[in-house]
Amino acid sequence: MAPLIPFNKPFFAGKELHYIAQAVTLGNISGDGDFARRCVEVMQQRFQVHKILLTPSCTAALELSAMLLELQPGDEVIMPSYTFVSTANAFARMGAKPVFVDIRPDTLNMDERLVEQAITEKTKAIVPVHYAGVGCEMDLILTIADKYGLRVIEDAAQGVNAQYQNQYLGSLGDLGCYSFHETKNFICGEGGAICLNSEEFVDRAHVLRDKGTNRQAFFQGLVDKYTWCDIGSSFVLSELNCAFLYAQLEMFDEINQKRQQIYEFYRKNLQPLEEAQLLRLPRIPEDCVSNHHMFYILLPSKTVRDGLLAHLKEQQIHAVFHYIPLHTSPVGQTWGYREGDLPVTEQCASCLLRLPFYYEITPEEQQRVVCEIEKFLITNVSQSLLPDSLQLKTDFQRPLDTP
Ligand SMILES: *Cc1c(COP(=O)(O)O)cnc(C)c1O
């Protein structure tokens, strides 16, 4: 039996335990200590973000965003349905309604051309999700937001250290949210951050994040005692996690480079199968720098996808599908959404397969993955041309990379 190729394997940069020991020795393992400060400084500088606050997860950062916007029951927030539950949950738990729009078949990001028609009098915000670390068409989204007076919160959980038009994802909207979950590029087990891209939200973000108190102002000597001043929660990341994260952030370039190599390998070696119309490969628009968070392929049908998934599993290769579209979920349906509402989302979700992708995967292992895909498609898919909805359309304004 061939050795197992897992889907993901958390990467340890090397100094994690050293830094954790240092945090323990320093005697402060709660939040906002020395390692938090160091992580924040590195990221604020590199990503050109006005202010970053570390949170226990990207989910927490999204929830903090929704609290900062003071959303009311009945408000509407525009987002893709093809995303992780946390994107919608954060706003839904404030009573707001997620208004789902379809995605583009090239990047699988929210189709910016559908945003304007989804706006109503109740719309308060737009939440672009940068899928796979490839930036949404932020120029247009920000222009629309500006025109209608809406807030933009970037779900950049997968987009840490990736760029759109020379600006880092997370730094473009009013607020941006990062994840350091062990499945992401830079990890600390569970962790996240919120980017506050202007001074506007800074004071209140400190208060909401610190149990609704002005403890931050107290520590800074701005008030002589701290007290309960807003309805907040506890959204602070432990120093132990910050120490772990700091070791990872020191390896920004190495991690990016390695992931790019892994991506290019799949891209190059699967190219003939795309030319044979047996699958479709991801695309990165020319004005984006990806962080190569993942590598997915789109198969001609759900049957082929599920067959390939089972075949790879038999060969000890763990590939996985991704989101069940939120509009077809039990909660999504409570807002009246039905299957069939968002055709591109549904098609992509049912035809997509993510390939094993982690820092330590070797070219030999990747070659094995490619060979098994090839073997399966060539023997099982005769003449199965990609359906029209998965073809790359030419009517998008963004030039795509050419293989
Ligand atoms: C991973 C992810 C999240 C949640 O991140 P956590 O840090 O696990 O809370 C949210 N949105 C997207 C798009 C993600 O990929």
mmCIF file of all heavy atoms in Angstrom, residues 86-105:
data_model
loop_
_atom_site.group_PDB
_atom_site.id
_atom_site.type_symbol
_atom_site.label_atom_id
_atom_site.label_comp_id
_atom_site.label_asym_id
_atom_site.label_seq_id
_atom_site.Cartn_x
_atom_site.Cartn_y
_atom_site.Cartn_z
ATOM 1 N N SER A 86 -18.830 30.941 8.982
ATOM 2 C CA SER A 86 -18.540 32.093 9.854
ATOM 3 C C SER A 86 -18.825 33.424 9.181
ATOM 4 O O SER A 86 -19.188 34.396 9.847
ATOM 5 C CB SER A 86 -17.079 32.063 10.296
ATOM 6 O OG SER A 86 -16.846 30.931 11.085
ATOM 7 N N THR A 87 -18.637 33.499 7.861
ATOM 8 C CA THR A 87 -18.881 34.746 7.132
ATOM 9 C C THR A 87 -20.317 35.201 7.378
ATOM 10 O O THR A 87 -20.572 36.373 7.673
ATOM 11 C CB THR A 87 -18.675 34.541 5.613
ATOM 12 O OG1 THR A 87 -17.513 33.746 5.392
ATOM 13 C CG2 THR A 87 -18.550 35.864 4.893
ATOM 14 N N ALA A 88 -21.252 34.272 7.265
ATOM 15 C CA ALA A 88 -22.664 34.613 7.410
ATOM 16 C C ALA A 88 -23.090 34.656 8.882
ATOM 17 O O ALA A 88 -23.826 35.548 9.303
ATOM 18 C CB ALA A 88 -23.518 33.607 6.652
ATOM 19 N N ASN A 89 -22.601 33.696 9.644
ATOM 20 C CA ASN A 89 -22.944 33.604 11.063
ATOM 21 C C ASN A 89 -22.724 34.914 11.816
ATOM 22 O O ASN A 89 -23.559 35.350 12.606
ATOM 23 C CB ASN A 89 -22.026 32.565 11.719
ATOM 24 C CG ASN A 89 -22.815 31.420 12.322
ATOM 25 O OD1 ASN A 89 -23.957 31.588 12.734
ATOM 26 N ND2 ASN A 89 -22.209 30.262 12.368
ATOM 27 N N ALA A 90 -21.575 35.533 11.556
ATOM 28 C CA ALA A 90 -21.183 36.734 12.295
ATOM 29 C C ALA A 90 -22.244 37.822 12.189
ATOM 30 O O ALA A 90 -22.495 38.552 13.154
ATOM 31 C CB ALA A 90 -19.849 37.249 11.765
ATOM 32 N N PHE A 91 -22.862 37.938 11.011
ATOM 33 C CA PHE A 91 -23.846 38.994 10.786
ATOM 34 C C PHE A 91 -25.241 38.520 11.159
ATOM 35 O O PHE A 91 -26.043 39.277 11.707
ATOM 36 C CB PHE A 91 -23.758 39.472 9.337
ATOM 37 C CG PHE A 91 -22.372 39.979 9.025
ATOM 38 C CD1 PHE A 91 -21.413 39.145 8.459
ATOM 39 C CD2 PHE A 91 -22.012 41.260 9.384
ATOM 40 C CE1 PHE A 91 -20.116 39.596 8.231
ATOM 41 C CE2 PHE A 91 -20.718 41.724 9.166
ATOM 42 C CZ PHE A 91 -19.768 40.882 8.590
ATOM 43 N N ALA A 92 -25.499 37.230 10.897
ATOM 44 C CA ALA A 92 -26.818 36.668 11.199
ATOM 45 C C ALA A 92 -27.089 36.710 12.702
ATOM 46 O O ALA A 92 -28.221 36.928 13.129
ATOM 47 C CB ALA A 92 -26.905 35.246 10.673
ATOM 48 N N ARG A 93 -26.052 36.521 13.511
ATOM 49 C CA ARG A 93 -26.292 36.514 14.956
ATOM 50 C C ARG A 93 -26.602 37.902 15.523
ATOM 51 O O ARG A 93 -27.041 38.032 16.654
ATOM 52 C CB ARG A 93 -25.165 35.810 15.727
ATOM 53 C CG ARG A 93 -23.795 36.332 15.464
ATOM 54 C CD ARG A 93 -22.739 35.486 16.123
ATOM 55 N NE ARG A 93 -22.768 35.622 17.572
ATOM 56 C CZ ARG A 93 -22.494 36.740 18.224
ATOM 57 N NH1 ARG A 93 -22.173 37.838 17.569
ATOM 58 N NH2 ARG A 93 -22.524 36.765 19.534
ATOM 59 N N MET A 94 -26.413 38.945 14.693
ATOM 60 C CA MET A 94 -26.862 40.289 15.068
ATOM 61 C C MET A 94 -28.288 40.527 14.570
ATOM 62 O O MET A 94 -28.825 41.629 14.701
ATOM 63 C CB MET A 94 -25.950 41.354 14.430
ATOM 64 C CG MET A 94 -24.488 41.250 14.736
ATOM 65 S SD MET A 94 -24.073 41.715 16.429
ATOM 66 C CE MET A 94 -24.326 43.496 16.369
ATOM 67 N N GLY A 95 -28.860 39.516 13.913
ATOM 68 C CA GLY A 95 -30.210 39.665 13.371
ATOM 69 C C GLY A 95 -30.233 40.108 11.921
ATOM 70 O O GLY A 95 -31.295 40.268 11.326
ATOM 71 N N ALA A 96 -29.058 40.327 11.342
ATOM 72 C CA ALA A 96 -29.009 40.786 9.949
ATOM 73 C C ALA A 96 -29.240 39.609 8.998
ATOM 74 O O ALA A 96 -28.947 38.465 9.324
ATOM 75 C CB ALA A 96 -27.666 41.445 9.658
ATOM 76 N N LYS A 97 -29.741 39.936 7.816
ATOM 77 C CA LYS A 97 -29.996 38.905 6.812
ATOM 78 C C LYS A 97 -28.847 38.851 5.809
ATOM 79 O O LYS A 97 -28.514 39.869 5.191
ATOM 80 C CB LYS A 97 -31.298 39.235 6.062
ATOM 81 C CG LYS A 97 -31.586 38.279 4.923
ATOM 82 C CD LYS A 97 -32.751 38.762 4.048
ATOM 83 C CE LYS A 97 -32.917 37.829 2.846
ATOM 84 N NZ LYS A 97 -33.890 38.312 1.885
ATOM 85 N N PRO A 98 -28.235 37.666 5.647
ATOM 86 C CA PRO A 98 -27.230 37.551 4.591
ATOM 87 C C PRO A 98 -27.923 37.535 3.226
ATOM 88 O O PRO A 98 -28.826 36.734 3.011
ATOM 89 C CB PRO A 98 -26.553 36.201 4.862
ATOM 90 C CG PRO A 98 -27.214 35.618 6.060
ATOM 91 C CD PRO A 98 -28.445 36.397 6.364
ATOM 92 N N VAL A 99 -27.517 38.438 2.350
ATOM 93 C CA VAL A 99 -28.055 38.446 0.985
ATOM 94 C C VAL A 99 -26.973 37.849 0.090
ATOM 95 O O VAL A 99 -25.909 38.434 -0.097
ATOM 96 C CB VAL A 99 -28.417 39.884 0.556
ATOM 97 C CG1 VAL A 99 -28.814 39.930 -0.911
ATOM 98 C CG2 VAL A 99 -29.544 40.414 1.437
ATOM 99 N N PHE A 100 -27.263 36.645 -0.394
ATOM 100 C CA PHE A 100 -26.232 35.908 -1.124
ATOM 101 C C PHE A 100 -26.229 36.260 -2.604
ATOM 102 O O PHE A 100 -27.276 36.300 -3.240
ATOM 103 C CB PHE A 100 -26.484 34.404 -0.968
ATOM 104 C CG PHE A 100 -26.370 33.920 0.449
ATOM 105 C CD1 PHE A 100 -27.441 33.288 1.074
ATOM 106 C CD2 PHE A 100 -25.198 34.081 1.172
ATOM 107 C CE1 PHE A 100 -27.345 32.833 2.385
ATOM 108 C CE2 PHE A 100 -25.084 33.630 2.484
ATOM 109 C CZ PHE A 100 -26.170 33.001 3.089
ATOM 110 N N VAL A 101 -25.031 36.522 -3.130
ATOM 111 C CA VAL A 101 -24.908 36.716 -4.576
ATOM 112 C C VAL A 101 -24.005 35.618 -5.151
ATOM 113 O O VAL A 101 -23.204 35.014 -4.430
ATOM 114 C CB VAL A 101 -24.357 38.118 -4.951
ATOM 115 C CG1 VAL A 101 -25.282 39.212 -4.463
ATOM 116 C CG2 VAL A 101 -22.957 38.314 -4.419
ATOM 117 N N ASP A 102 -24.166 35.387 -6.440
ATOM 118 C CA ASP A 102 -23.443 34.302 -7.093
ATOM 119 C C ASP A 102 -21.959 34.650 -7.259
ATOM 120 O O ASP A 102 -21.558 35.795 -7.050
ATOM 121 C CB ASP A 102 -24.089 33.996 -8.456
ATOM 122 C CG ASP A 102 -24.066 32.504 -8.774
ATOM 123 O OD1 ASP A 102 -23.320 31.754 -8.099
ATOM 124 O OD2 ASP A 102 -24.788 32.080 -9.697
ATOM 125 N N ILE A 103 -21.179 33.643 -7.638
ATOM 126 C CA ILE A 103 -19.734 33.842 -7.800
ATOM 127 C C ILE A 103 -19.345 33.847 -9.279
ATOM 128 O O ILE A 103 -20.142 33.479 -10.144
ATOM 129 C CB ILE A 103 -18.932 32.730 -7.067
ATOM 130 C CG1 ILE A 103 -19.418 31.339 -7.491
ATOM 131 C CG2 ILE A 103 -19.033 32.917 -5.568
ATOM 132 C CD1 ILE A 103 -18.557 30.194 -6.951
ATOM 133 N N ARG A 104 -18.116 34.252 -9.532
ATOM 134 C CA ARG A 104 -17.555 34.208 -10.893
ATOM 135 C C ARG A 104 -16.948 32.832 -11.123
ATOM 136 O O ARG A 104 -16.279 32.301 -10.237
ATOM 137 C CB ARG A 104 -16.417 35.228 -11.018
ATOM 138 C CG ARG A 104 -16.812 36.650 -10.763
ATOM 139 C CD ARG A 104 -15.576 37.521 -10.525
ATOM 140 N NE ARG A 104 -14.512 37.257 -11.478
ATOM 141 C CZ ARG A 104 -13.891 38.198 -12.174
ATOM 142 N NH1 ARG A 104 -14.217 39.452 -12.038
ATOM 143 N NH2 ARG A 104 -12.920 37.884 -13.004
ATOM 144 N N PRO A 105 -17.121 32.271 -12.315
ATOM 145 C CA PRO A 105 -16.573 30.930 -12.544
ATOM 146 C C PRO A 105 -15.052 30.907 -12.677
ATOM 147 O O PRO A 105 -14.457 29.842 -12.609
ATOM 148 C CB PRO A 105 -17.240 30.479 -13.851
ATOM 149 C CG PRO A 105 -17.734 31.720 -14.492
ATOM 150 C CD PRO A 105 -17.900 32.761 -13.438
#
